[in-house]
Amino acid sequence: MDLQLSGRVAVVTGASKGIGLAVARTLAEEGAHVVAASRTAPDAKVTHVAVDLMDPQAPERVIARAVEEFGGVDILVNNAGGPPPGVTLPRVGFMAPGDDDWQAMFEFNLFAAVRMIRAAVPVMLGRGGGSIVNISSGSARQPGAMNVDYGAAKAAMNHVSKAVSEEYGPQGVRVNTISPGPVLTDWWTKDGGAADVIAGMAGASKADVIAQVAPGMMKLATGRLVDPQEIADMVALLVSPRSGSTTGADIAVDGGFLKEI
């Protein structure tokens, strides 16, 4: 199926690894000009802009580079998120994060995306429209005592996404969110990452946490963590003109993590 992405200009944040890298590669393979915003360069055929999205000025620089290189922006994928730099998740319990933790979590998972949208929308409007996909989380709609600050930031992102879709949909800018469940990225697999933290709590090996403990703990119907490529494939479909009537939607790609109707 031709997704009609050839020649379109896509900005992807957090594109150096995990979901972001899979998205950047997939859009490039579909013929898009990809501008990757991340602190380190991705292993992909893209235009890299080295930025720290905790810097409030970074989004303007990223969009300006896309305009300079390719003349505009058609697609924005706000993927950067998760633990802020230097932070290890999970954190268990409402009292675990302090004020600084909450502020850093919202800065990385909400404000960076808000600033990217603010920078990109005027450029998209000048080209007659565009498509924005914000990577959220199943935790936004399934609250719990684990990572409460992260879930709250992603819930706020869902609200912003819906609001922006309502305001700019009539002008041709579509906005959707994807809510992954646990995805097999270095958030889980790196030394000291989530798998190691849960292994210490559960008295299990890291490998067993990834293969059995985590899918069981999160009641994943598929029995496994999500592959980053599965998120990237959904992104590619949502940003495609073939999804032209899909806006304001939240798509769960989560292995059955969310249980409500």
Side-chain angles (χ1 to χ4, degrees):
M1 180 171 66
D2 180 9
L3 294 178
Q4 302 171 21
L5 296 178
S6 182
R8 295 181 184 267
V9 183
V11 172
V12 182
T13 70
S16 64
K17 56 189 176 182
I19 295 172
L21 178 57
V23 170
R25 285 174 171 167
T26 299
L27 296 182
E29 289 167 0
E30 291 293 329
H33 302 297
V34 178
V35 177
S38 55
R39 287 176 294 166
T40 58
D43 182 15
K45 295 181 179 179
V46 299
T47 298
H48 179 238
V49 183
V51 290
D52 180 353
L53 290 171
M54 298 287 276
D55 174 3
Q57 307 305 316
E60 288 283 357
R61 293 200 299 272
V62 174
I63 298 301
R65 179 68 180 279
V67 172
E68 177 187 347
E69 291 282 334
F70 302 111
V73 176
D74 303 300
I75 295 163
L76 169 62
V77 183
N78 277 311
N79 166 74
V87 173
T88 296
L89 297 181
R91 284 192 289 237
V92 180
F94 174 74
M95 303 298 287
D99 280 4
D100 289 346
D101 299 315
W102 278 89
Q103 289 169 1
M105 190 65 72
F106 269 69
E107 188 71 39
F108 194 45
N109 286 277
L110 177 64
F111 299 151
V114 166
R115 293 175 184 127
M116 287 297 309
I117 295 169
R118 189 186 295 145
V121 163
V123 178
M124 289 181 172
L125 293 176
R127 289 164 72 86
S131 179
I132 299 172
V133 173
N134 297 321
I135 304 300
S136 183
S137 170
S139 298
R141 291 196 284 146
Q142 191 157 299
M146 186 177 289
N147 303 330
V148 62
D149 50 342
Y150 172 73
K154 291 300 191 181
M157 174 183 274
N158 287 4
H159 181 102
V160 168
S161 301
K162 188 74 170 181
V164 176
S165 77
E166 285 292 307
E167 181 172 0
Y168 291 104
Q171 299 174 66
V173 177
R174 297 185 299 110
V175 187
N176 295 286
T177 59
I178 294 176
S179 289
V183 182
L184 190 57
T185 65
D186 80 331
W187 179 349
W188 284 87
T189 60
K190 69 181 180 182
D191 290 341
D196 281 335
V197 173
I198 294 173
M201 296 165 58
S205 70
K206 182 176 184 174
D208 284 344
V209 166
I210 292 171
Q212 300 173 359
V213 176
M217 179 177 67
M218 298 184 182
K219 299 183 174 65
L220 302 185
T222 59
R224 63 173 177 83
L225 303 189
V226 179
D227 189 293
Q229 188 60 50
E230 294 170 316
I231 309 297
D233 291 343
M234 182 57 69
V235 169
L237 180 59
L238 281 178
V239 301
S240 165
R242 289 182 175 271
S243 296
S245 291
T246 304
T247 191
D250 177 43
I251 310 298
V253 184
D254 65 357
F257 173 68
L258 289 172
K259 303 302 182 184
E260 72 270 18
I261 295 173

